[in-house]
Amino acid sequence: MLFPAARKPSFSHHFSSSFNNSFFMCKQSDSISSKETAPNHMPIPPGQNERNALSFSSFIATPFTLLKQLKPSHYTPHKILLLLLVTSILSFASLYTFHRGFRRTIQFWRGMAPLVLKYKYVKFRALTIDHCDEEELERRLNLYRETSAPALVDLILRLGGIYVKIGQVMSTIGQGLLPQQYIDALRPLQDGVPPRNYDEISRIVETSTGKTMDELFESFDEKPIGAASVAQVHRATLRPRKEGEEPVPIVLKVQYPEVAELFDADLSNMELATKLFAPENLEVAKSMRKRHENELDFRKEAENLRECTRDMQKYGMEPSLVRIPRVVEDICTQNVLAMEYLEGVSLSDAIQQEQDRVAKAFGKQDGEELKKMLASRMKEHFKNGGGAGSGGLHMLGSKKMKLMNVFGPSATAVIRTYASVKDGIENAAFSVAKFGSKFRSGWNQDGDQLALLADGPTKKNTKVNLGRALKTLVHVHGIQILLSGTYNADPHPGNVLILPDGRLGLLDYGMVGRLSQKDRETAAKTILALSNRDKAATAKLYRDNGYKISFKDGGSSVDDAVLHRFASFHLDRIDLSPLTLDNGETVDLMELLRSTRERVVPSWIEEGRRLGGLLMGVNAQAARPISLAKEWRPIAKEALRK
């Protein structure tokens, strides 16, 4: 089927009688008017009743069958065209009304098509009509991106569902690859989407649990602490179940009612597109369906939380380095899940706060200008080979910014330390000022402190050791995918908390990936080959385990260097430097990517590159590019020993 089966009642009984009667009465009227001598009580021709009995749905589905049943004398060109036009309009309207998949496709392209066409026009005019150079072309494209990026995010928010997931992933893995305008516009999706109102949420909770809100909760925060593509999360306090028990603070995750149908429609459209344009990757598309279907049952997420907690405890990670929320067994249904509340700052906020501090240390109000500089430096870093080492907060000196021209990891650390110390001094000064205002305010006769004289909001100090948090994030997920085989497949910065004691809170286990023992061993061998920069070994592992690519010109022979670079993208680093082929020829990497097509992608590569891309992306977003193979090398060795 092109689109998911309609879940609404059949529309044939709504329109069949009235449409068929009116349509065929028009046909009868036409016949009468063409013969002026025909009496008004002209008998119905043989077979007319049978034609009137045709259902409207049959008419919509098979208009040409209907035409065949009409007498040849009824055919005229304008009637045939009119019939086909009416049929097309009614078919479109019916599909749009009753088939969510068709409606979603139309809504997507109605928003996307203008953006695509405008982009094509900007490039065509600049290159073909105005004959612009590269600098002018880039200037025009930047102007286009300034308007198209917010429009793209608006479209994603209107559609919701899996499109939000895609936006979250692209905002993370796209750092240094996508234009910065799109990264900046998509980044807020990491923290959530506009929430639903309390009345709707309370109805879902009561319907799913069979209990009223008052029966379940002593208190419930109507304003959510987060809203995502599938659900939103509220703080609440459970009523004590037994006398003498204390109320339990929790978070409640509530799934939106239409989300299952939305995902079904979106994934069906993705499967259709894959079947049409890349049939060799249909199994990968189907695996996405399975993964997302599991995300829609919170009972499965609860089991994922329990399983990953046990695994992390087995490997000594939980609770010493990370915390995974415990499930509240009393409230666990398909659409509602209660969990332990963890206090902390999200990783995305921590990254933003560090960049704001560094920018303020050099006289700027926030990190926006700094982010643009970092994005430029990240692109330059990736074009020089990527990986760990000289990447980071490399500030280019300028009179406007009054920045030092410093390079290297040590200088990066100095800048961060300077910014942190400067921020600490400001915080101390703020605290002294606040204490002084308290002192000036005095106390009333009952010993209660009077209102503060100082105005303005209190400054919140949420400084964290971001570098340590990122290393922990990479290390823990290496253990999950290479040793445990069960891992969180969606660790974007909005799903990670940095707790007050420095540990990580790992949230949202709706999307969990799994690798077999054999796949884990293959992935571990690939990690070691990449960390050794062994092109031949890396290419052999990819070939022997089913990864296939071809060239658009029909060629199927692939150099070791090409497979090694693709594997690096998947499981090591973002490397955009020119590629030297086995015969010594140097090719532009972007041109190489445009000229190749993946024919077969084994599941372990698909799973690994999604997780690897997210981890490399979040480190690049924090201006700390990494070599994932280097970070995971000790874990890979341990996986092969076992």
Side-chain angles (χ1 to χ4, degrees):
M1 289 180 64
L2 281 178
F3 304 101
R7 291 179 172 82
K8 303 290 185 181
S10 171
F11 51 79
S12 61
H13 67 279
H14 291 302
F15 304 106
S16 177
S17 176
S18 61
F19 180 85
N20 287 322
N21 290 339
S22 61
F23 178 79
F24 288 106
M25 284 184 69
C26 288
K27 296 295 298 179
Q28 181 178 345
S29 175
D30 288 345
S31 300
I32 294 173
S33 62
S34 64
K35 298 180 180 179
E36 296 180 1
T37 58
N40 290 334
H41 57 276
M42 179 180 179
I44 298 175
Q48 183 73 58
N49 286 330
E50 287 79 358
R51 290 197 295 273
N52 286 349
L54 288 171
S55 71
F56 177 70
S57 57
S58 299
F59 173 73
I60 290 297
T62 56
F64 291 103
T65 301
L66 177 62
L67 283 172
K68 289 178 181 179
Q69 296 182 39
L70 297 175
K71 290 184 176 181
S73 60
H74 292 163
Y75 286 134
T76 63
H78 78 273
K79 287 180 181 178
I80 294 174
L81 290 175
L82 179 62
L83 179 63
L84 292 176
L85 178 61
V86 171
T87 301
S88 300
I89 293 173
L90 291 174
S91 297
F92 181 90
S94 301
L95 284 170
Y96 192 84
T97 302
F98 296 105
H99 289 266
R100 184 179 287 273
F102 181 77
R103 183 163 67 252
R104 295 280 287 175
T105 302
I106 296 299
Q107 289 170 341
F108 174 78
W109 285 108
R110 187 172 62 193
M112 197 67 184
L115 300 179
V116 174
L117 292 174
K118 186 175 180 181
Y119 172 76
K120 295 289 186 182
Y121 171 75
V122 169
K123 286 195 70 175
F124 175 79
R125 174 165 187 143
L127 297 176
T128 307
I129 299 177
D130 297 337
H131 303 289
C132 299
D133 57 20
E134 289 189 10
E135 184 177 347
E136 175 61 17
L137 172 63
E138 186 62 23
R139 187 190 71 81
R140 294 188 183 189
L141 288 176
N142 279 330
L143 290 175
Y144 162 78
R145 292 163 186 153
E146 292 291 343
T147 57
S148 64
L152 178 62
V153 174
D154 288 342
L155 176 62
I156 288 173
L157 291 174
R158 286 200 306 272
L159 291 172
I162 197 172
Y163 299 108
V164 174
K165 285 281 184 188
I166 294 171
Q168 290 172 336
V169 171
M170 294 310 298
S171 70
T172 303
I173 68 175
Q175 185 68 43
L177 298 174
L178 292 178
Q180 190 61 32
Q181 295 93 332
Y182 292 110
I183 298 296
D184 292 341
L186 291 168
R187 188 170 291 144
L189 296 177
Q190 294 176 3
D191 292 324
V193 298
R196 309 292 176 87
N197 61 55
Y198 171 75
D199 291 339
E200 183 178 354
I201 294 300
S202 62
R203 281 195 301 271
I204 298 170
V205 173
E206 292 178 347
T207 301
S208 185
T209 63
K211 297 181 179 180
T212 67
M213 298 293 283
D214 287 339
E215 289 175 318
L216 292 170
F217 307 111
E218 187 170 279
S219 66
F220 188 92
D221 290 355
E222 295 188 10
K223 183 178 180 181
I225 58 177
S229 57
V230 173
Q232 65 189 54
V233 180
H234 292 257
R235 287 191 66 176
T237 304
L238 282 181
R239 287 194 180 280
R241 297 295 182 259
K242 299 178 182 178
E243 188 174 348
E245 287 185 349
E246 293 292 324
V248 180
I250 63 161
V251 293
L252 192 73
K253 188 174 181 179
V254 184
Q255 187 180 130
Y256 304 136
E258 79 289 349
V259 74
E261 190 177 359
L262 286 175
F263 268 50
D264 184 54
D266 293 337
L267 290 169
S268 292
N269 287 329
M270 287 183 62
E271 285 180 17
L272 173 62
T274 304
K275 190 174 183 179
L276 292 174
F277 299 108
E280 66 280 357
N281 290 325
L282 186 58
E283 290 305 313
V284 174
K286 289 182 177 179
S287 70
M288 288 182 62
R289 174 181 290 276
K290 183 177 180 181
R291 181 186 297 163
H292 284 295
E293 283 176 348
N294 290 336
E295 188 180 13
L296 302 181
D297 189 340
F298 285 172
R299 293 167 298 188
K300 293 181 179 178
E301 180 173 353
E303 184 52 43
N304 292 338
L305 285 162
R306 299 185 194 101
E307 181 182 0
C308 289
T309 299
R310 290 193 299 268
D311 286 348
M312 289 297 92
Q313 290 173 344
K314 174 183 175 182
Y315 291 104
M317 298 290 103
E318 218 275 1
S320 59
L321 288 178
V322 300
R323 286 282 285 108
I324 298 175
R326 305 297 187 259
V327 176
V328 177
E329 304 295 344
D330 292 344
I331 306 179
C332 181
T333 71
Q334 182 174 346
N335 305 110
V336 177
L337 176 62
M339 295 170 287
E340 170 190 13
Y341 174 71
L342 297 179
E343 180 76 45
V345 58
S346 76
L347 182 58
S348 57
D349 285 345
I351 293 171
Q352 180 64 54
Q353 288 168 8
E354 181 186 77
Q355 292 176 354
D356 285 345
R357 282 199 303 272
V358 171
K360 277 191 70 177
F362 293 103
K364 294 293 160 186
Q365 291 299 315
D366 56 40
E368 290 305 314
E369 189 170 353
L370 178 67
K371 281 192 292 185
K372 292 178 181 178
M373 295 177 65
L374 289 176
S376 175
R377 292 300 308 214
M378 284 295 102
K379 285 184 180 179
E380 183 179 338
H381 176 68
F382 297 147
K383 287 179 180 178
N384 290 328
S390 62
L393 282 172
H394 290 174
M395 307 294 178
L396 291 175
S398 70
K399 292 181 180 180
K400 180 180 178 183
M401 292 284 292
K402 297 182 179 179
L403 299 181
M404 297 177 294
N405 187 15
V406 292
F407 299 90
S410 57
T412 294
V414 169
I415 289 175
R416 290 193 178 105
T417 302
Y418 168 64
S420 182
V421 169
K422 189 173 186 295
D423 195 56
I425 292 172
E426 290 179 356
N427 282 333
F430 181 83
S431 299
V432 170
K434 190 165 85 169
F435 175 79
S437 58
K438 285 182 180 180
F439 182 78
R440 291 193 303 274
S441 65
W443 304 80
N444 65 17
Q445 293 180 348
D446 296 324
D448 296 326
Q449 189 178 3
L450 296 175
L452 294 179
L453 299 177
D455 296 325
T458 302
K459 186 172 182 178
K460 186 178 180 181
N461 187 349
T462 55
K463 285 190 297 182
V464 297
N465 189 330
L466 186 56
R468 185 177 72 177
L470 290 168
K471 278 193 169 292
T472 300
L473 182 69
V474 171
H475 182 72
V476 167
H477 283 85
I479 288 176
Q480 285 186 337
I481 194 170
L482 294 175
L483 297 182
S484 166
T486 304
Y487 63 94
N488 185 344
D490 196 23
H492 67 76
N495 282 344
V496 180
L497 291 179
I498 304 178
L499 308 183
D501 58 10
R503 293 180 296 171
L504 295 188
L506 304 180
L507 313 177
D508 196 348
Y509 276 75
M511 288 180 63
V512 166
R514 287 179 168 81
L515 287 185
S516 67
Q517 178 67 33
K518 180 180 181 299
D519 285 345
R520 294 202 300 274
E521 289 177 2
T522 305
K525 290 175 183 177
T526 305
I527 291 293
L528 291 179
L530 287 168
S531 66
N532 292 331
R533 312 302 288 275
D534 189 335
K535 295 182 181 180
T538 303
K540 187 175 188 304
L541 283 163
Y542 262 46
R543 284 195 190 96
D544 292 350
N545 288 279
Y547 182 75
K548 295 180 181 179
I549 61 174
S550 62
F551 295 93
K552 290 183 178 179
D553 61 8
S556 58
S557 178
V558 182
D559 283 10
D560 286 357
V562 174
L563 288 177
H564 178 266
R565 180 62 65 88
F566 277 41
S568 295
F569 272 128
H570 300 159
L571 294 168
D572 185 21
R573 66 183 67 208
I574 303 170
D575 183 355
L576 302 179
S577 62
L579 179 64
T580 302
L581 302 179
D582 295 343
N583 61 7
E585 179 186 356
T586 300
V587 297
D588 178 76
L589 185 72
M590 300 310 295
E591 186 61 35
L592 175 68
L593 293 175
R594 285 191 289 266
S595 65
T596 56
R597 177 180 177 183
E598 289 183 319
R599 306 294 301 181
V600 180
V601 182
S603 60
W604 68 272
I605 293 179
E606 179 62 31
E607 298 282 341
R609 71 182 180 183
R610 175 186 167 85
L611 179 62
L614 283 167
L615 294 174
M616 286 185 274
V618 69
N619 277 271
Q621 185 177 325
R624 291 170 172 85
I626 61 169
S627 164
L628 193 62
K630 179 181 177 182
E631 298 291 333
W632 282 358
R633 181 182 175 87
I635 305 172
K637 286 183 175 180
E638 185 178 349
L640 293 176
R641 281 197 299 269
K642 291 188 175 184

